[in-house]
Amino acid sequence: MRTRTWFAGLAAGAALLAGGSVTTAQATAPAADAGIGAPPGWSPDGVQSCSSHSHRDIDPGGGQTVSTQTLRRSGPHNTCGSNPVHSTAVDYHCYTVNESSNTWTYVTVRATGAKGWVYDGNLTNGGSDYEC
């Protein structure tokens, strides 16, 4: 599977270009209450959309979440509504890169059929290889 890395320098540079400021600690620290393996909570100008990211089922593969408590979200952001997956086996649909440059995979939980976005850092093999 493809490995993706979030670059703190990219986030800090975007904040500076937008007229703001950010420290390395702010750019790289996950939100304390955002759940297991939460992505960094920083977003350019606070732009976070829980419904504007399209997805389609084009990935024939799947994988495992790091925990049954991994959060499945309504959008590819740590602020979107969530529920735990309750099972680690998931089928992949595709991945997207959100406005904060974090990658998320749209999944179906095999045991329940529940669907949603999972932060790729919470998927044991890094998530889908197919961009939405």
Side-chain angles (χ1 to χ4, degrees), residues 27-85:
T28 60
D33 62 348
I36 297 168
W42 179 85
S43 178
D45 295 315
V47 175
Q48 295 183 348
S49 172
C50 293
S51 61
S52 68
H53 294 271
S54 64
H55 54 84
R56 52 198 171 123
D57 192 358
I58 57 174
D59 190 333
Q64 303 284 320
T65 61
V66 296
S67 165
T68 59
Q69 294 303 304
T70 294
L71 298 177
R72 172 184 50 84
R73 297 187 176 272
S74 61
H77 301 281
N78 67 351
T79 56
C80 296
S82 65
N83 287 302
V85 291

Side-chain angles (χ1 to χ4, degrees), residues 29-132:
D33 62 348
I36 297 168
W42 179 85
S43 178
D45 295 315
V47 175
Q48 295 183 348
S49 172
C50 293
S51 61
S52 68
H53 294 271
S54 64
H55 54 84
R56 52 198 171 123
D57 192 358
I58 57 174
D59 190 333
Q64 303 284 320
T65 61
V66 296
S67 165
T68 59
Q69 294 303 304
T70 294
L71 298 177
R72 172 184 50 84
R73 297 187 176 272
S74 61
H77 301 281
N78 67 351
T79 56
C80 296
S82 65
N83 287 302
V85 291
H86 296 297
S87 175
T88 59
V90 293
D91 289 321
Y92 296 160
H93 291 225
C94 59
Y95 79 91
T96 193
V97 180
N98 70 9
E99 294 88 348
S100 300
S101 300
N102 299 311
T103 57
W104 294 70
T105 295
Y106 194 81
V107 304
T108 298
V109 180
R110 289 183 191 156
T112 65
K115 297 178 182 185
W117 292 98
V118 174
Y119 172 58
D120 284 350
N122 288 331
L123 297 167
T124 59
N125 61 2
S128 177
D129 285 330
Y130 296 82
E131 190 169 8
C132 293

